[in-house]
Amino acid sequence: MIELIVGSAILLAGLYFAWWWRSPQFRERIERPKHEFLRQAQEFDDAGRRP
Amino acid sequence: MTVARTSPVLVHADLVRAHTIAALAALAIAAAFGILVSLQFLYPDLSGGSLVFGWGRLRYAHTQGIMLGWLGNAFLAFMYHAVPVLTRREVTSRALGWWLFGLWNFVAVIPGWILVLSGVSQPLEWAEFPLAIDAFIVLALLLAAVQFLPGFFRAGLDSLYVSGWYILGALVFTLLAYPMGNVVPEVTGGATSAAFSGLWIHDAVGLFVTPLALAILYYVIPAASGRPIYSHFLSMLGFWGLFFFYPLNGTHHYVFSVIPMAAQLGAIAASAVLGLIVVIVVTNLLLSLRGSGFIPRDPALRFVALSVVFYLIVSLQGAAQAQMAVNQSVHFSDWVVGHSHLAMLGFATFAGIGGLVHAWQRLPDARYDGRAIEWSFWLLSVGVTVMVVDLTIAGLVQGGLWQQAVPWLDSVRASRPYWAVRSLSALPIVAGFVLLGVGLFTGRRGAGAQAIKATRGPGEVQPVAPATRARGLAMAYVVTGVAGVGFFALSMCLLGWWPGKVIATQVAATSPPNLLQLTPDEQRGRLIYAREGCAYCHTQQVRYLPDDIRRFGAPTLAWEIQFDRPHLWGTRRIGPDLSREGGTRSLDWQYAHLFAPRSVVPQSVMPSYAAFFDGSPLQPTAEARDLVAYLQSLGRARELAGPEGEQHAQGALGHDHMAHMAFESPVLNAHPAAPRAGGERPSLARVASIGNGPQLWRENCAGCHGAGGAGDGPAAAWLTPRPGDLTAHSYQRDYLERVLWEGRQGTAMPAWRDQPPASLVALMAAVRRFSVDAATVPDGATLQRGAVIYANHCVQCHGTSGRGDGFAASSFKVAPVDFTVRRPTLAQGMSAMVNGVPGTSMAPWGDRLDDVQMRAVVEYVRNLFREAGGD
């Protein structure tokens, strides 16, 4: 019985996590740094190439 | 003006340039050390007996130079470029940067090399620089934290890009781990010292090198390709996974050791999980490379792309080799050397070059030659691949041979072609490094910026919404601080402190009372052993494995090595394990071996330590005497504990099945060369010779007995008693079998129990062919006269029947000759009578007997010989 409860809890937690990860709010928040970084890196390069 | 504002943020171009130059200079020096080390396997006398450029010291300087000199400077150069971009803030201080540069290079790396080459070092893997240097490295790491970290904290952690996390993690964790790995093994003893040392071996790579290399990969891939990484979430999952599991891997360097099995199994499991996490990291990185082409155009991107592939291979390899089934056959072999080169020369060096090239392209007015760097990439790729594949195969061959009942030297002989290929692989690698230097220091000024324009990807930057400060992430400082220190503390507790406690309890319970410690000269010898890097070729831990037990004897118990500060367990076996070396060889053999290793072991690749002698093994300096005294002490404590000590320890260990393997060896010292009197030996009567006696003779015996068996080999003059003149004797077959199996106690003649029976038969045939002795038929009167003289003067030692079993015989270091199994020629017999036999109890008789009497007694003992028979 205990295995069933723990197993179900893990499964539900996994499903919730999957939904959370796919949710736009989460993705926007968690993936934001990669866009921010790319912008910073390109700004740096562009500044370096300015005449 | 060395500082340039090249962008919205200020990058100190002079510091990028300075650390790049220092990195390449250190790379050239450390690589040269490595090449000299590899060449000494092929030409062991290459250093000409110099201690400064001896194998051990160069090996210490090589690895420390690569980690601190090359990679340390490359990472610093990259951070001076990357941290301002990541944080949009200047680093703390340019002046601090120059202090850090000076401290790192002129107070730590260069003096570290000088001290190590001068003999001031510690025998700990990845921690060879002495403690005085370590203090400055910790200070430099502190300065680096002050230089780079404040920008991250000011920028806020809630939107920190993954490269920033890795830089933060590396600086914080290395500051914690470096003192632990360098100091704790010195103050704890034996197995506990090894447990902490094992932690550091993994932390050095996992918490210093890997995070900074990954910071470069995560930085350069999007910055050079113009596309964001595939998933920041996966990158953070990888970050926390790596920092949690990396420190928990340490004990996998000492699988099958006396360190508690629970710690070993935990580390093995953590290694497997780490492999899975690396798969996540690498998947994310490879998906981030999509669209960059199979071979990216940008040289920096090209280097980091291959670095990702190397990272995947080395991590999966590491996870696999930690597993017991693999570890038992490849550990201590060149497989591990290949693995470490794949990590440091493949993954980390390619990442480091990628980071340097990326930063260099963006330096104003820096020279840049893209074609040279492209060539550098191809040459290094070929060189590293050849080296790693070669060493991996070599490791499998060595491991396979060690698991078979074949002589140790077979593994050395089989390794030679692989060692040659490894040395040859240095050619493309050196050419690659040279072209890297050409690419960065020649070419047109500003060509790097043009290369960026030509190779950069689409640069589709998505609009980024203003940061929304998440409630949970506002606590990020606290969470990361607690987690960071917590992860490290957890690893210290689980793989260092707790095993140490268990080991201490075991030592207290199993150690015999009144344990004999090392004498002052043995202690000095131990320091010499450590200083010269002996532990990097000879392990001092017999593992809890049937193969180790069969080859070396009883596995090492924790109490045997409790005073070893730091431990000398070693990580590689080029020569055999020395845990039970004491009493295995004679003193004169040890001196001859140190002075000219190939004089007594023609196939040996050990470097000469002639510097410890005043021109001859007969004139050892105090250092040679101390070193040999130490070697002769190895294994002594357990020998002296005797059966009572074994029973006591066995009782105290309870039901620990693994620990009881320590008592499963039929003999404490199973070294095949250790002289042994009596006991069972296999019958060779029906074994056919394989006919390679002359070759076996050259490879094993000629060093002492000479090519023609006349007892005049290169080492003969240094051994007392001198090696037997085999031309001047006839031997009974059974006697030869016995000597080959048991050795000759009190002489330098070792046993050859590791030789296959067919080889022993072939050797016996070779020995018997040397003899010029022939039976003679003396007249009866001579025999009678000889018998009387023999009865009056010789029976006390040689026994009434000439079997060497007189009543005084047992008190002699070298047993008197048994004339029933060994017949000297007339000339040899007369020589022994006139001159005696130095090194034995045979005195000269020329002043007591005249020539006729001596000849009569020689004829008499010759007549005792029986061609066949024996006991």
PDB file of all heavy atoms in Angstrom, chain B residues 61-86:
ATOM      1  N   ALA B  61      56.043  18.102 -11.877  1.00  0.00           N
ATOM      2  CA  ALA B  61      56.016  19.437 -12.491  1.00  0.00           C
ATOM      3  C   ALA B  61      55.071  19.470 -13.696  1.00  0.00           C
ATOM      4  O   ALA B  61      54.435  20.494 -13.964  1.00  0.00           O
ATOM      5  CB  ALA B  61      57.428  19.837 -12.912  1.00  0.00           C
ATOM      6  N   HIS B  62      54.976  18.334 -14.407  1.00  0.00           N
ATOM      7  CA  HIS B  62      54.110  18.273 -15.597  1.00  0.00           C
ATOM      8  C   HIS B  62      52.646  18.490 -15.213  1.00  0.00           C
ATOM      9  O   HIS B  62      51.970  19.374 -15.746  1.00  0.00           O
ATOM     10  CB  HIS B  62      54.292  16.914 -16.288  1.00  0.00           C
ATOM     11  CG  HIS B  62      53.293  16.619 -17.358  1.00  0.00           C
ATOM     12  ND1 HIS B  62      53.138  17.411 -18.468  1.00  0.00           N
ATOM     13  CD2 HIS B  62      52.383  15.603 -17.494  1.00  0.00           C
ATOM     14  CE1 HIS B  62      52.185  16.903 -19.241  1.00  0.00           C
ATOM     15  NE2 HIS B  62      51.703  15.826 -18.662  1.00  0.00           N
ATOM     16  N   THR B  63      52.146  17.699 -14.277  1.00  0.00           N
ATOM     17  CA  THR B  63      50.712  17.769 -13.977  1.00  0.00           C
ATOM     18  C   THR B  63      50.347  19.083 -13.287  1.00  0.00           C
ATOM     19  O   THR B  63      49.311  19.673 -13.581  1.00  0.00           O
ATOM     20  CB  THR B  63      50.259  16.563 -13.138  1.00  0.00           C
ATOM     21  OG1 THR B  63      51.204  16.344 -12.098  1.00  0.00           O
ATOM     22  CG2 THR B  63      50.159  15.327 -13.981  1.00  0.00           C
ATOM     23  N   GLN B  64      51.216  19.546 -12.366  1.00  0.00           N
ATOM     24  CA  GLN B  64      50.906  20.822 -11.714  1.00  0.00           C
ATOM     25  C   GLN B  64      50.967  21.965 -12.718  1.00  0.00           C
ATOM     26  O   GLN B  64      50.177  22.906 -12.669  1.00  0.00           O
ATOM     27  CB  GLN B  64      51.884  21.078 -10.557  1.00  0.00           C
ATOM     28  CG  GLN B  64      51.655  20.145  -9.388  1.00  0.00           C
ATOM     29  CD  GLN B  64      50.479  20.553  -8.514  1.00  0.00           C
ATOM     30  OE1 GLN B  64      50.626  21.250  -7.540  1.00  0.00           O
ATOM     31  NE2 GLN B  64      49.297  20.106  -8.868  1.00  0.00           N
ATOM     32  N   GLY B  65      51.926  21.882 -13.652  1.00  0.00           N
ATOM     33  CA  GLY B  65      52.056  22.927 -14.668  1.00  0.00           C
ATOM     34  C   GLY B  65      50.849  22.988 -15.580  1.00  0.00           C
ATOM     35  O   GLY B  65      50.358  24.064 -15.934  1.00  0.00           O
ATOM     36  N   ILE B  66      50.333  21.807 -15.967  1.00  0.00           N
ATOM     37  CA  ILE B  66      49.157  21.788 -16.841  1.00  0.00           C
ATOM     38  C   ILE B  66      47.944  22.351 -16.095  1.00  0.00           C
ATOM     39  O   ILE B  66      47.202  23.179 -16.627  1.00  0.00           O
ATOM     40  CB  ILE B  66      48.871  20.345 -17.330  1.00  0.00           C
ATOM     41  CG1 ILE B  66      49.953  19.886 -18.330  1.00  0.00           C
ATOM     42  CG2 ILE B  66      47.479  20.237 -17.947  1.00  0.00           C
ATOM     43  CD1 ILE B  66      49.964  20.634 -19.644  1.00  0.00           C
ATOM     44  N   MET B  67      47.765  21.917 -14.854  1.00  0.00           N
ATOM     45  CA  MET B  67      46.554  22.345 -14.148  1.00  0.00           C
ATOM     46  C   MET B  67      46.618  23.824 -13.747  1.00  0.00           C
ATOM     47  O   MET B  67      45.675  24.576 -13.994  1.00  0.00           O
ATOM     48  CB  MET B  67      46.325  21.484 -12.896  1.00  0.00           C
ATOM     49  CG  MET B  67      45.015  21.836 -12.208  1.00  0.00           C
ATOM     50  SD  MET B  67      44.556  20.741 -10.877  1.00  0.00           S
ATOM     51  CE  MET B  67      45.535  21.373  -9.542  1.00  0.00           C
ATOM     52  N   LEU B  68      47.732  24.222 -13.141  1.00  0.00           N
ATOM     53  CA  LEU B  68      47.781  25.582 -12.606  1.00  0.00           C
ATOM     54  C   LEU B  68      48.362  26.568 -13.619  1.00  0.00           C
ATOM     55  O   LEU B  68      47.837  27.676 -13.778  1.00  0.00           O
ATOM     56  CB  LEU B  68      48.611  25.591 -11.312  1.00  0.00           C
ATOM     57  CG  LEU B  68      48.045  24.706 -10.188  1.00  0.00           C
ATOM     58  CD1 LEU B  68      49.025  24.604  -9.031  1.00  0.00           C
ATOM     59  CD2 LEU B  68      46.710  25.255  -9.689  1.00  0.00           C
ATOM     60  N   GLY B  69      49.466  26.170 -14.281  1.00  0.00           N
ATOM     61  CA  GLY B  69      50.127  27.098 -15.202  1.00  0.00           C
ATOM     62  C   GLY B  69      49.324  27.322 -16.466  1.00  0.00           C
ATOM     63  O   GLY B  69      49.002  28.452 -16.829  1.00  0.00           O
ATOM     64  N   TRP B  70      48.995  26.237 -17.152  1.00  0.00           N
ATOM     65  CA  TRP B  70      48.288  26.364 -18.429  1.00  0.00           C
ATOM     66  C   TRP B  70      46.805  26.637 -18.210  1.00  0.00           C
ATOM     67  O   TRP B  70      46.305  27.713 -18.554  1.00  0.00           O
ATOM     68  CB  TRP B  70      48.529  25.115 -19.285  1.00  0.00           C
ATOM     69  CG  TRP B  70      47.448  24.755 -20.274  1.00  0.00           C
ATOM     70  CD1 TRP B  70      46.802  23.560 -20.374  1.00  0.00           C
ATOM     71  CD2 TRP B  70      46.888  25.571 -21.324  1.00  0.00           C
ATOM     72  NE1 TRP B  70      45.884  23.579 -21.387  1.00  0.00           N
ATOM     73  CE2 TRP B  70      45.910  24.801 -21.991  1.00  0.00           C
ATOM     74  CE3 TRP B  70      47.104  26.874 -21.755  1.00  0.00           C
ATOM     75  CZ2 TRP B  70      45.156  25.287 -23.061  1.00  0.00           C
ATOM     76  CZ3 TRP B  70      46.351  27.363 -22.821  1.00  0.00           C
ATOM     77  CH2 TRP B  70      45.397  26.572 -23.464  1.00  0.00           C
ATOM     78  N   LEU B  71      46.094  25.680 -17.619  1.00  0.00           N
ATOM     79  CA  LEU B  71      44.644  25.855 -17.517  1.00  0.00           C
ATOM     80  C   LEU B  71      44.291  27.019 -16.588  1.00  0.00           C
ATOM     81  O   LEU B  71      43.371  27.785 -16.861  1.00  0.00           O
ATOM     82  CB  LEU B  71      43.999  24.553 -17.039  1.00  0.00           C
ATOM     83  CG  LEU B  71      44.024  23.411 -18.063  1.00  0.00           C
ATOM     84  CD1 LEU B  71      43.488  22.120 -17.458  1.00  0.00           C
ATOM     85  CD2 LEU B  71      43.227  23.777 -19.317  1.00  0.00           C
ATOM     86  N   GLY B  72      45.037  27.169 -15.483  1.00  0.00           N
ATOM     87  CA  GLY B  72      44.756  28.264 -14.552  1.00  0.00           C
ATOM     88  C   GLY B  72      44.825  29.610 -15.256  1.00  0.00           C
ATOM     89  O   GLY B  72      43.914  30.439 -15.150  1.00  0.00           O
ATOM     90  N   ASN B  73      45.895  29.841 -16.008  1.00  0.00           N
ATOM     91  CA  ASN B  73      46.032  31.110 -16.720  1.00  0.00           C
ATOM     92  C   ASN B  73      44.998  31.246 -17.839  1.00  0.00           C
ATOM     93  O   ASN B  73      44.459  32.337 -18.067  1.00  0.00           O
ATOM     94  CB  ASN B  73      47.442  31.236 -17.310  1.00  0.00           C
ATOM     95  CG  ASN B  73      48.423  31.821 -16.313  1.00  0.00           C
ATOM     96  OD1 ASN B  73      48.231  32.941 -15.834  1.00  0.00           O
ATOM     97  ND2 ASN B  73      49.452  31.063 -15.966  1.00  0.00           N
ATOM     98  N   ALA B  74      44.728  30.148 -18.539  1.00  0.00           N
ATOM     99  CA  ALA B  74      43.737  30.213 -19.628  1.00  0.00           C
ATOM    100  C   ALA B  74      42.372  30.577 -19.058  1.00  0.00           C
ATOM    101  O   ALA B  74      41.648  31.404 -19.627  1.00  0.00           O
ATOM    102  CB  ALA B  74      43.677  28.865 -20.358  1.00  0.00           C
ATOM    103  N   PHE B  75      42.024  29.973 -17.929  1.00  0.00           N
ATOM    104  CA  PHE B  75      40.725  30.278 -17.320  1.00  0.00           C
ATOM    105  C   PHE B  75      40.679  31.741 -16.847  1.00  0.00           C
ATOM    106  O   PHE B  75      39.652  32.413 -16.984  1.00  0.00           O
ATOM    107  CB  PHE B  75      40.446  29.339 -16.147  1.00  0.00           C
ATOM    108  CG  PHE B  75      40.220  27.906 -16.558  1.00  0.00           C
ATOM    109  CD1 PHE B  75      40.570  26.853 -15.719  1.00  0.00           C
ATOM    110  CD2 PHE B  75      39.655  27.589 -17.790  1.00  0.00           C
ATOM    111  CE1 PHE B  75      40.364  25.527 -16.096  1.00  0.00           C
ATOM    112  CE2 PHE B  75      39.437  26.268 -18.171  1.00  0.00           C
ATOM    113  CZ  PHE B  75      39.804  25.238 -17.314  1.00  0.00           C
ATOM    114  N   LEU B  76      41.799  32.209 -16.272  1.00  0.00           N
ATOM    115  CA  LEU B  76      41.813  33.599 -15.804  1.00  0.00           C
ATOM    116  C   LEU B  76      41.659  34.560 -16.991  1.00  0.00           C
ATOM    117  O   LEU B  76      40.909  35.539 -16.929  1.00  0.00           O
ATOM    118  CB  LEU B  76      43.103  33.882 -15.036  1.00  0.00           C
ATOM    119  CG  LEU B  76      43.131  33.310 -13.603  1.00  0.00           C
ATOM    120  CD1 LEU B  76      44.540  33.319 -13.035  1.00  0.00           C
ATOM    121  CD2 LEU B  76      42.193  34.107 -12.689  1.00  0.00           C
ATOM    122  N   ALA B  77      42.383  34.265 -18.088  1.00  0.00           N
ATOM    123  CA  ALA B  77      42.267  35.120 -19.278  1.00  0.00           C
ATOM    124  C   ALA B  77      40.820  35.158 -19.755  1.00  0.00           C
ATOM    125  O   ALA B  77      40.273  36.218 -20.055  1.00  0.00           O
ATOM    126  CB  ALA B  77      43.174  34.580 -20.392  1.00  0.00           C
ATOM    127  N   PHE B  78      40.211  33.975 -19.796  1.00  0.00           N
ATOM    128  CA  PHE B  78      38.821  33.910 -20.254  1.00  0.00           C
ATOM    129  C   PHE B  78      37.900  34.680 -19.300  1.00  0.00           C
ATOM    130  O   PHE B  78      36.993  35.406 -19.739  1.00  0.00           O
ATOM    131  CB  PHE B  78      38.376  32.447 -20.351  1.00  0.00           C
ATOM    132  CG  PHE B  78      36.916  32.299 -20.639  1.00  0.00           C
ATOM    133  CD1 PHE B  78      36.411  32.570 -21.895  1.00  0.00           C
ATOM    134  CD2 PHE B  78      36.028  31.923 -19.636  1.00  0.00           C
ATOM    135  CE1 PHE B  78      35.055  32.470 -22.157  1.00  0.00           C
ATOM    136  CE2 PHE B  78      34.673  31.818 -19.884  1.00  0.00           C
ATOM    137  CZ  PHE B  78      34.193  32.095 -21.146  1.00  0.00           C
ATOM    138  N   MET B  79      38.136  34.535 -17.995  1.00  0.00           N
ATOM    139  CA  MET B  79      37.246  35.214 -17.038  1.00  0.00           C
ATOM    140  C   MET B  79      37.362  36.730 -17.153  1.00  0.00           C
ATOM    141  O   MET B  79      36.377  37.439 -16.967  1.00  0.00           O
ATOM    142  CB  MET B  79      37.545  34.745 -15.619  1.00  0.00           C
ATOM    143  CG  MET B  79      36.966  33.357 -15.332  1.00  0.00           C
ATOM    144  SD  MET B  79      36.945  32.934 -13.588  1.00  0.00           S
ATOM    145  CE  MET B  79      38.664  32.620 -13.274  1.00  0.00           C
ATOM    146  N   TYR B  80      38.581  37.229 -17.465  1.00  0.00           N
ATOM    147  CA  TYR B  80      38.706  38.686 -17.634  1.00  0.00           C
ATOM    148  C   TYR B  80      37.882  39.171 -18.819  1.00  0.00           C
ATOM    149  O   TYR B  80      37.457  40.315 -18.859  1.00  0.00           O
ATOM    150  CB  TYR B  80      40.175  39.088 -17.803  1.00  0.00           C
ATOM    151  CG  TYR B  80      40.859  39.238 -16.467  1.00  0.00           C
ATOM    152  CD1 TYR B  80      41.842  38.357 -16.053  1.00  0.00           C
ATOM    153  CD2 TYR B  80      40.495  40.261 -15.597  1.00  0.00           C
ATOM    154  CE1 TYR B  80      42.440  38.483 -14.827  1.00  0.00           C
ATOM    155  CE2 TYR B  80      41.084  40.393 -14.351  1.00  0.00           C
ATOM    156  CZ  TYR B  80      42.057  39.504 -13.968  1.00  0.00           C
ATOM    157  OH  TYR B  80      42.631  39.635 -12.742  1.00  0.00           O
ATOM    158  N   HIS B  81      37.661  38.269 -19.795  1.00  0.00           N
ATOM    159  CA  HIS B  81      36.795  38.635 -20.908  1.00  0.00           C
ATOM    160  C   HIS B  81      35.327  38.405 -20.547  1.00  0.00           C
ATOM    161  O   HIS B  81      34.463  39.259 -20.803  1.00  0.00           O
ATOM    162  CB  HIS B  81      37.146  37.806 -22.151  1.00  0.00           C
ATOM    163  CG  HIS B  81      36.130  37.917 -23.246  1.00  0.00           C
ATOM    164  ND1 HIS B  81      36.118  38.953 -24.145  1.00  0.00           N
ATOM    165  CD2 HIS B  81      35.065  37.130 -23.563  1.00  0.00           C
ATOM    166  CE1 HIS B  81      35.094  38.804 -24.970  1.00  0.00           C
ATOM    167  NE2 HIS B  81      34.446  37.709 -24.633  1.00  0.00           N
ATOM    168  N   ALA B  82      35.037  37.259 -19.940  1.00  0.00           N
ATOM    169  CA  ALA B  82      33.646  36.822 -19.825  1.00  0.00           C
ATOM    170  C   ALA B  82      32.894  37.467 -18.667  1.00  0.00           C
ATOM    171  O   ALA B  82      31.716  37.796 -18.805  1.00  0.00           O
ATOM    172  CB  ALA B  82      33.613  35.297 -19.669  1.00  0.00           C
ATOM    173  N   VAL B  83      33.576  37.635 -17.532  1.00  0.00           N
ATOM    174  CA  VAL B  83      32.845  38.120 -16.345  1.00  0.00           C
ATOM    175  C   VAL B  83      32.248  39.509 -16.584  1.00  0.00           C
ATOM    176  O   VAL B  83      31.076  39.735 -16.255  1.00  0.00           O
ATOM    177  CB  VAL B  83      33.745  38.054 -15.092  1.00  0.00           C
ATOM    178  CG1 VAL B  83      33.093  38.768 -13.911  1.00  0.00           C
ATOM    179  CG2 VAL B  83      34.024  36.602 -14.747  1.00  0.00           C
ATOM    180  N   PRO B  84      32.968  40.458 -17.190  1.00  0.00           N
ATOM    181  CA  PRO B  84      32.334  41.745 -17.447  1.00  0.00           C
ATOM    182  C   PRO B  84      31.130  41.637 -18.382  1.00  0.00           C
ATOM    183  O   PRO B  84      30.146  42.357 -18.216  1.00  0.00           O
ATOM    184  CB  PRO B  84      33.460  42.564 -18.100  1.00  0.00           C
ATOM    185  CG  PRO B  84      34.709  41.934 -17.613  1.00  0.00           C
ATOM    186  CD  PRO B  84      34.403  40.481 -17.505  1.00  0.00           C
ATOM    187  N   VAL B  85      31.196  40.709 -19.356  1.00  0.00           N
ATOM    188  CA  VAL B  85      30.063  40.550 -20.265  1.00  0.00           C
ATOM    189  C   VAL B  85      28.886  39.920 -19.512  1.00  0.00           C
ATOM    190  O   VAL B  85      27.738  40.333 -19.668  1.00  0.00           O
ATOM    191  CB  VAL B  85      30.461  39.693 -21.488  1.00  0.00           C
ATOM    192  CG1 VAL B  85      29.272  39.503 -22.418  1.00  0.00           C
ATOM    193  CG2 VAL B  85      31.614  40.346 -22.229  1.00  0.00           C
ATOM    194  N   LEU B  86      29.175  38.931 -18.695  1.00  0.00           N
ATOM    195  CA  LEU B  86      28.108  38.231 -17.975  1.00  0.00           C
ATOM    196  C   LEU B  86      27.437  39.135 -16.943  1.00  0.00           C
ATOM    197  O   LEU B  86      26.232  39.050 -16.725  1.00  0.00           O
ATOM    198  CB  LEU B  86      28.687  36.994 -17.253  1.00  0.00           C
ATOM    199  CG  LEU B  86      29.074  35.809 -18.139  1.00  0.00           C
ATOM    200  CD1 LEU B  86      29.967  34.850 -17.364  1.00  0.00           C
ATOM    201  CD2 LEU B  86      27.834  35.075 -18.625  1.00  0.00           C
TER     202      LEU B  86
END
